[in-house]
Amino acid sequence: MKSINIYDDEKFFKSYNEMPRSRDGLKAAGEWHQLKKLFPDLQEKTVLDLGCGLGWHCRYAKEQGAASVIGIDVSDKMIEQARKRNSSDGIQYCVCSLQDFEYPLETYDMVISIFYMLLVTSGARKVLIKIFGLKPCEGDKNISVDG
């Protein structure tokens, strides 16, 4: 089931696209200098970015040595721009809602979700259960809820 979202509205997306963090990526995101400290070593890891938006965190993961990265977002416009701005070998983008993604077991070493969980109002519990069932981890499982 494809969700309707404000990011595919022409007027909203045009304004969103003009924001410094949209134009310039992570270096223009005020929280990034603190947030990146929370990322583990990504060498040879498989990464899933939920609500990847323009793909900046996907790009970062790949630059840090991730073996593969999948970015999903419900917005056609976001994924279109992510493919234009932040494409790389090993990064795959998919238009899909967080609730409808399959979450194959034993696949991802790390799941990123920056701001997206704030927008999930229905099915959040189901999604979190799926995420934490993805792959046994050797260390701590970190969850950060923005807000």
Side-chain angles (χ1 to χ4, degrees):
M1 162 177 92
K2 178 113 164 69
S3 299
I4 297 181
N5 68 85
I6 195 161
Y7 293 97
D8 283 337
D9 175 80
E10 289 290 334
K11 185 177 178 181
F12 179 87
F13 190 76
K14 183 178 185 304
S15 294
Y16 180 86
N17 219 19
E18 293 170 0
M19 291 172 51
R21 73 181 325 128
S22 297
R23 285 191 324 266
D24 302 324
L26 297 177
K27 67 181 180 227
E31 73 281 357
W32 180 240
H33 71 285
Q34 292 295 326
L35 185 61
K36 74 178 178 181
K37 295 175 188 177
L38 300 176
F39 278 70
D41 177 14
L42 296 175
Q43 285 292 320
E44 298 304 314
K45 302 294 185 193
T46 55
V47 178
L48 173 64
D49 186 352
L50 302 175
C52 68
L54 299 172
W56 297 111
H57 293 97
C58 294
R59 178 178 172 176
Y60 174 79
K62 193 63 183 153
E63 288 172 347
Q64 299 306 303
S68 65
V69 182
I70 295 180
I72 68 168
D73 201 286
V74 72
S75 168
D76 292 307
K77 290 187 180 303
M78 288 291 200
I79 293 295
E80 177 185 334
Q81 287 300 308
R83 288 179 177 141
K84 287 180 182 176
R85 299 175 190 200
N86 292 305
S87 285
S88 177
D89 288 341
I91 299 177
Q92 176 185 350
Y93 292 107
C94 176
V95 177
C96 183
S97 76
L98 189 134
Q99 293 89 340
D100 291 339
F101 188 69
E102 291 294 322
Y103 300 95
L105 294 175
E106 307 266 336
T107 302
Y108 304 103
D109 295 302
M110 181 175 180
V111 178
I112 302 169
S113 183
I114 309 297
F115 299 127
Y116 193 63
M117 291 304 267
L118 285 176
L119 305 175
V120 178
T121 55
S122 64
R125 183 172 185 268
K126 179 179 158 187
V127 169
L128 288 170
I129 288 169
K130 286 181 178 182
I131 291 169
F132 279 97
L134 289 181
K135 191 171 189 179
C137 78
E138 297 167 3
D140 294 331
K141 287 188 179 181
N142 294 315
I143 183 165
S144 174
V145 178
D146 306 288

